[in-house]
Amino acid sequence: MTRFTIPRDIYFGENALDQLSLINGTRAMLVVGSERLKKDGTVAKIQALLAKAGIQSDTFSGIEADPSIATVKRGVAAMNSFAPDWIIGIGGGSPIDAAKAMWIFYEYPDVTFEEAAKPFNIPELRHKARFIAIPTTSGTGSEVTSFSIITDQETEIKYPIADYNITPDMAILDTGLVASLTPTLVADTGMDALTHAIEAYTSTAANPITDGLAIKAIQMVVDNLLNSYRGDAAARVNVHIAQCLAGMAFSNAILGAVHSMAHKTGRILDIAHGRANAIYLTYVTQFNAKTAPKKYAEIAKFIGLSGKDDAERVALLVDRIKQLRADLGMPSSLKEYGTDEKAFMSQLPELARTSVADPCTGTNPRPVSEEEMAQLFKAVYYGTEVTF
């Protein structure tokens, strides 16, 4: 039996935030990452809408790029004091992930991070609060997923929490919230969304429902991301919707080796998650397609690429992704990105080992050994074709 879980309600489009004025509750804790959302009036607007619904609100802000255990604990303390019956994560993936983790420990203070990180091990939530996610970037899909990643900054251990219990009750995709994104953020988050969709479609855990979401997300991102990067408003709306489709797909089909590699290199190599995905995606596609070309060839056909056979269609797909990456002004290798060669080589054995151990590798369409992962990383560093 296969399970498919998404939020009960997804509101999207212009002025979707207005739905907040219609919800039932008494207190809402807003978990916010960027100070920009306070300065530009987004937080005040959300609080005003909640007030219309008769809901008192408070704000916990200052979520870092990789939310830490310490931050989660401070947020839980604030929730214990305020006693919300709604928790609202607002921003990119980090504040929404942090808010999900706070939700767990607000309801179950005796659960440890080690216990929470055991897949599908969280007790039933919603005894104290329900959860709303409001994304202000177009890439992570965290507003519709059952995942949260929290970091112990002292040990550098990442706790990947995966449990359908933390799938939000409601996602609100107000397209006005992404109108002012910078081109760099559009590129990074958009390529993250494309990677989510491609890896969900080719995952060994994919199913017909996730396939439908993933393939439509791929089409929408490929058709709209470059124009969104250039400032086209309609394209930006389409990418914001597409990344949500990708999020629903990968939340249920999981991901693959691109994300395994990106998870392990972000902090070590100081590279943004979406940018790492953009670099790694073409190399991993070449690697996977050596033994599992069918679905990559299907993607190629769906986005209008021809070819006499699967191998040629995969090659055209790789070229299409490379061209999109270049048009977005993104590097094609870690060397081009500026990663120091000596530092990279010294980290390579550990990067290979931990990437293979990452949960996402388990659903990669081609099994990966540590030796092969090291070879992949070398190809990614030097920008060489993957032929093994």
Side-chain angles (χ1 to χ4, degrees):
M1 181 177 68
T2 302
R3 176 174 177 174
F4 180 82
T5 301
I6 57 175
R8 176 171 178 168
D9 295 299
I10 301 173
Y11 296 92
F12 59 96
E14 188 177 359
N15 299 318
L17 281 177
D18 290 351
Q19 181 61 29
L20 291 172
S21 67
L22 304 175
I23 64 174
N24 295 316
T26 58
R27 290 184 179 86
M29 175 65 80
L30 281 56
V31 179
V32 184
S34 173
E35 288 297 314
R36 173 183 67 85
L37 298 178
K38 290 184 177 181
K39 293 177 182 177
D40 69 10
T42 299
V43 171
K45 180 179 180 179
I46 289 171
Q47 290 185 303
L49 289 166
L50 291 168
K52 282 187 179 181
I55 296 174
Q56 182 183 352
S57 61
D58 197 3
T59 303
F60 182 87
S61 60
I63 311 298
E64 62 269 64
D66 290 305
S68 66
I69 288 177
T71 296
V72 170
K73 288 181 176 179
R74 288 195 298 271
V76 172
M79 290 178 187
N80 287 335
S81 176
F82 186 65
D85 50 12
W86 282 105
I87 297 169
I88 306 178
I90 308 165
S94 293
I96 295 175
D97 275 10
K100 289 176 180 177
M102 292 172 192
W103 184 23
I104 296 167
F105 298 104
Y106 170 55
E107 297 221 3
Y108 293 98
D110 294 329
V111 169
T112 66
F113 276 89
E114 290 77 10
E115 290 170 335
K118 294 177 182 177
F120 306 100
N121 189 54
I122 296 169
E124 184 177 347
L125 298 175
R126 296 169 178 82
H127 298 293
K128 291 184 178 180
R130 287 176 289 168
F131 193 97
I132 298 173
I134 305 174
T136 61
T137 62
S138 300
T140 71
S142 188
E143 73 277 5
V144 291
T145 73
S146 56
F147 303 119
S148 169
I149 298 177
I150 306 299
T151 302
D152 185 331
Q153 292 188 339
E154 293 183 3
T155 64
E156 295 294 322
I157 293 174
K158 287 184 179 288
Y159 291 95
I161 301 171
D163 197 291
Y164 291 122
N165 267 301
I166 61 171
T167 304
D169 297 280
M170 182 188 301
I172 298 178
L173 287 84
D174 192 309
T175 50
L177 295 179
V178 297
S180 61
L181 293 178
T182 66
T184 297
L185 194 55
V186 169
D188 285 353
T189 56
M191 289 302 288
D192 190 19
L194 180 62
T195 306
H196 287 157
I198 290 175
E199 292 209 295
Y201 191 74
T202 57
S203 164
T204 58
N207 61 66
I209 296 175
T210 61
D211 279 355
L213 291 164
I215 202 72
K216 183 61 177 178
I218 293 166
Q219 180 192 46
M220 290 179 72
V221 174
V222 169
D223 287 349
N224 290 279
L225 180 54
L226 184 56
N227 285 335
S228 176
Y229 175 77
R230 291 170 173 168
D232 183 88
R236 189 152 306 177
V237 168
N238 286 334
V239 173
H240 199 47
I241 303 305
Q243 66 85 34
C244 182
L245 301 180
M248 290 188 281
F250 90 79
S251 183
N252 291 274
I254 320 299
L255 294 162
V258 179
H259 271 80
S260 300
M261 297 166 76
H263 288 157
K264 306 312 175 188
T265 56
R267 181 183 291 271
I268 292 172
L269 302 183
D270 190 26
I271 181 170
H273 177 72
R275 188 146 297 223
N277 283 336
I279 295 172
Y280 304 161
L281 179 57
T282 53
Y283 301 94
V284 174
T285 297
Q286 289 178 328
F287 174 81
N288 287 339
K290 294 295 179 186
T291 62
K294 182 176 181 293
K295 280 200 145 181
Y296 291 102
E298 288 175 359
I299 292 170
K301 287 191 289 185
F302 195 82
I303 62 173
L305 301 175
S306 57
K308 66 179 184 296
D309 55 25
D310 284 354
E312 189 171 305
R313 283 186 280 271
V314 171
L316 290 170
L317 175 63
V318 170
D319 287 344
R320 182 69 180 86
I321 298 169
K322 286 180 178 179
Q323 186 61 57
L324 178 59
R325 184 174 62 196
D327 290 342
L328 295 170
M330 306 177 88
S332 61
S333 67
L334 287 175
K335 186 175 183 179
E336 184 183 342
Y337 174 72
T339 301
D340 180 77
E341 183 175 12
K342 185 176 180 180
F344 171 76
M345 293 305 293
S346 70
Q347 296 279 358
L348 183 57
E350 183 66 6
L351 289 175
R353 184 189 68 79
T354 56
S355 295
V356 169
D358 188 276
C360 291
T361 304
T363 47
N364 193 65
R366 177 181 174 183
V368 192
S369 67
E370 286 187 28
E371 180 182 356
E372 288 168 329
M373 185 64 78
Q375 287 182 274
L376 258 180
F377 268 119
K378 286 181 181 179
V380 165
Y381 183 83
Y382 293 108
T384 55
E385 296 293 302
V386 177
T387 59
F388 55 91

